[in-house]
Amino acid sequence: MAEAKVEVRRSKRRRRTVSAYREGDVIVVLIPASMSKRDEATWVADMVARIEKKEARRKPSDTELLARATSLSDAWLGGLAKPASVRWVSNQKSRWGSCTPGDRSIRLSERLQQMPPWVVDYVLIHELAHLLEPGHGPAFWAWVDRYPRSERAKGYLAGWSSAARLELPEGYDEVD
């Protein structure tokens, strides 16, 4: 795994606490301005390890993604959408996911790994629905809307895209 980019931000108002979060591809560590360089190095290493451990737990393997997609298809699509493969990809910067109905393969953007599981489930449902309906017509949305958190997930993705100053990928901005 590549070494994470880290940005340390010192604050005069912060007295004792240290916190960290991911901002895009950078891990931001917030520390008190008075902290020594030696303590900073120790805390940064610890906080980066915590963030990476948390992220590793959150990322399902491709095999687990396929099992999840199959489970979602059974629950919400009557088991009719049967993907051959589901995998994470790093080359989708303008899409959340894609589906090739011909070989029944689904690819999900790695950006989704930082999002709640119900949002990932929505994108899986969206791509599974393409195995049943290739376009974004009313029949397609009827399948997608069987998932009870569809509207909530659409809103989440729209908000995330807006906050990141990105256009919402085609097919995710449909409003019924």
Side-chain angles (χ1 to χ4, degrees):
M1 182 156 107
E3 191 168 318
K5 296 178 196 170
V6 178
E7 178 182 329
V8 177
R9 296 182 187 165
R10 290 179 172 265
S11 169
K12 290 181 182 177
R13 292 184 356 184
R14 187 175 285 268
R15 298 281 178 232
R16 290 179 283 214
T17 62
V18 176
S19 62
Y21 61 92
R22 184 169 292 278
E23 191 173 85
D25 61 349
V26 176
I27 295 176
V28 178
V29 181
L30 307 171
I31 64 172
S34 61
M35 185 176 282
S36 72
K37 286 289 186 183
R38 185 170 59 176
D39 285 346
E40 173 186 326
T42 300
W43 273 106
V44 167
D46 181 55
M47 298 307 282
V48 167
R50 287 183 193 187
I51 295 285
E52 289 176 340
K53 182 178 178 182
K54 180 180 174 185
E55 289 173 348
R57 275 194 318 262
R58 189 182 274 186
K59 177 188 173 187
S61 69
D62 292 351
T63 303
E64 291 168 326
L65 273 180
L66 178 59
R68 183 66 185 153
T70 301
S71 173
L72 289 166
S73 175
D74 291 344
W76 305 111
L77 306 175
L80 297 173
K82 298 184 186 313
S85 67
V86 182
R87 62 188 173 93
W88 297 110
V89 295
S90 60
N91 64 348
Q92 289 189 357
K93 303 299 182 200
S94 63
R95 297 175 181 221
W96 298 118
S98 61
C99 175
T100 305
D103 65 5
R104 297 180 359 263
S105 65
I106 293 174
R107 292 153 310 280
L108 299 182
S109 171
E110 286 182 342
R111 294 178 298 150
L112 290 166
Q113 293 170 356
Q114 62 187 314
M115 297 184 188
W118 53 270
V119 174
V120 176
D121 285 354
Y122 165 74
V123 175
L124 279 169
I125 288 283
H126 182 108
E127 300 309 332
L128 287 165
H130 281 303
L131 295 174
L132 306 173
E133 290 288 332
H136 289 108
F140 169 83
W141 289 110
W143 286 112
V144 172
D145 290 340
R146 288 177 168 207
Y147 178 61
R149 291 187 165 179
S150 285
E151 288 305 313
R152 185 175 177 199
K154 288 177 197 176
Y156 185 97
L157 292 169
W160 192 95
S161 295
S162 178
R165 300 187 194 287
L166 299 173
E167 271 190 48
L168 200 57
E170 184 179 334
Y172 287 86
D173 56 358
E174 303 291 327
V175 179
D176 299 331

